[in-house]
Amino acid sequence: MPVTQRLTPPAVEPEEAGTRLDRWLALRLPELSRTRIKGLMEDGRVSLEETTISDASLRVKPGQCFVVDVPPDAPAQPEPQDIALTVVYEDEDLIVIDKPAGMVVHPAPGNPDETLVNALLAHCGESLAGIGGVKRPGIVHRIDKDTSGLLVAAKTDAAHRGLATQFAAHTLERAYWALVWGTPSPRQGEIEGNIGRNPNDRKKMAVVKSGGKPALTRYRVLKSFAGGAVSLVECRLATGRTHQIRVHMTTQGHPLVGDPVYGRIRGHKGVVLPPEVKTALIQFPRQALHAYLLGFSHPTKGYDVRFESGMPLDINALMQILEVL
């Protein structure tokens, strides 16, 4: 089985001081392109003294020793796999899927197959292959493995370009339902803060003081349960960063119910939950997050389209338990 390769270039020389880190690494590691190095940094695979470094523009200093972990490549071309899909809309240019929780969007180390891409290749046929790249054909955006809801994929190069332009310009309408611990105050507002790799844990994202990418989430509380112990919140993305809603809500002290990465809360101050309700909340097996609304301008036809997805069964069942309190 392929393993991650650890590269340890020699320490920075005095005459190299002030060089951008991505450029310095590209010079020291000629087997890796500068673009590849930037991608590895974004994935949290470059470190200095066990601290993750994600800022490609960092200026190196004499004596610094960087470590680069290079994961094994995913298969060069994903294989079609006959996996059932919930198709919300489809035409000759694009397809909108209601993705179930537990499905990874595209192959990657650790998830080489049984992804949405594998399913799309089987569903759409050979025409999809290579659209936007052979490893992620048709994919213009992602939602996390354990987040459910709406996702659009392109079936033609023209559609891929048009959708990618809208995502880059943040002109799409995207809204999520989230069950969070506590009740945000105020009940409606904005959360803003650059998101980048957590310098202390490369598997996590965080609101960072320097570097990262600008992120803005608009939220409003739709309903509170159990005396404010848990709330249903609508979150609308003005940007689309990795784990954006999960990170932003956590920074406000209201992590998502079931989120295994950004912290689980076992109760809310001043509220005593019945044991069976507390157990249901704590043992919820995924982050309670659902992409329920997706709207955009059709990339080839020009008119606006808007799609909605109902509350998934698992989150709905949890809300029914909370309703009786």
Side-chain angles (χ1 to χ4, degrees):
M1 178 179 294
V3 297
T4 296
Q5 181 183 14
R6 172 156 287 193
L7 304 178
T8 55
V12 178
E13 299 290 346
E15 61 272 18
E16 297 172 322
T19 305
R20 278 177 58 108
L21 177 56
D22 58 343
R23 178 174 171 78
W24 182 84
L25 286 173
L27 292 171
R28 287 300 187 97
L29 303 172
E31 66 271 30
L32 299 177
S33 70
R34 196 164 170 181
T35 299
R36 174 66 165 141
I37 288 168
K38 287 183 178 180
L40 291 170
M41 296 185 75
E42 290 176 357
D43 289 342
R45 296 186 177 275
V46 176
S47 59
L48 171 65
E49 297 178 354
E50 299 186 357
T51 297
T52 299
I53 305 297
S54 58
D55 184 4
S57 65
L58 180 76
R59 303 292 175 171
V60 300
K61 299 178 181 179
Q64 288 180 324
C65 294
F66 293 91
V67 176
V68 180
D69 290 323
V70 182
D73 287 336
Q77 188 165 340
E79 295 293 327
Q81 291 179 303
D82 188 12
I83 301 170
L85 291 173
T86 300
V87 179
V88 177
Y89 173 84
E90 183 176 11
D91 62 22
E92 66 274 17
D93 294 302
L94 57 85
I95 182 170
V96 177
I97 300 297
D98 196 343
K99 186 188 83 68
M103 176 180 273
V104 175
V105 171
H106 59 75
N111 296 102
D113 56 10
E114 296 187 2
T115 70
L116 178 61
V117 161
N118 299 108
L120 287 173
L121 286 169
H123 178 88
C124 300
E126 293 183 1
S127 62
L128 182 71
I131 301 300
V134 295
K135 291 187 178 181
R136 304 178 184 182
I139 301 302
V140 288
H141 70 125
R142 295 174 291 174
I143 54 179
D144 296 336
K145 173 184 176 181
D146 288 326
T147 297
S148 54
L150 298 173
L151 182 145
V152 61
K155 295 170 65 176
T156 64
D157 283 321
H160 191 277
R161 287 192 300 270
L163 288 169
T165 297
Q166 293 181 60
F167 274 98
H170 309 303
T171 57
L172 296 90
E173 182 181 15
R174 285 184 290 169
Y176 292 69
W177 286 319
L179 274 181
V180 306
W181 289 100
T183 301
S185 180
R187 294 177 68 89
Q188 182 169 333
E190 295 184 349
I191 308 171
E192 195 168 8
N194 283 23
I195 290 179
R197 288 285 168 183
N198 187 319
N200 300 315
D201 186 346
R202 72 184 188 189
K203 294 181 180 180
K204 291 185 178 182
M205 307 300 288
V207 172
V208 293
K209 294 181 180 179
S210 61
K213 296 180 180 179
L216 173 62
T217 303
R218 297 185 176 95
Y219 74 89
R220 64 186 179 105
V221 177
L222 301 178
K223 189 169 186 178
S224 292
F225 303 92
V230 177
S231 296
L232 176 64
V233 178
E234 179 194 73
C235 295
R236 289 180 174 260
L237 296 181
T239 55
R241 309 306 180 199
T242 301
H243 298 178
Q244 179 173 321
I245 291 172
R246 299 164 66 189
V247 170
H248 271 174
M249 295 309 299
T250 298
T251 62
Q252 301 299 301
H254 302 286
L256 273 61
V257 169
D259 194 326
V261 176
Y262 296 100
R264 296 176 181 267
I265 294 179
R266 297 184 176 273
H268 185 61
K269 186 177 181 180
V271 178
V272 178
L273 296 171
E276 65 276 13
V277 175
K278 189 173 182 179
T279 297
L281 288 165
I282 293 172
Q283 294 184 355
F284 195 71
R286 67 176 181 104
Q287 63 264 12
L289 184 63
H290 180 67
Y292 86 90
L293 187 151
L294 178 63
F296 52 89
S297 175
H298 194 289
T300 62
K301 296 179 172 61
Y303 52 74
D304 291 339
V305 292
R306 196 171 189 264
F307 306 97
E308 293 191 24
S309 168
M311 188 71 74
L313 294 177
D314 57 350
I315 297 180
N316 191 57
L318 188 57
M319 290 172 58
Q320 288 181 355
I321 294 173
L322 293 166
E323 286 273 13
V324 302
L325 296 180

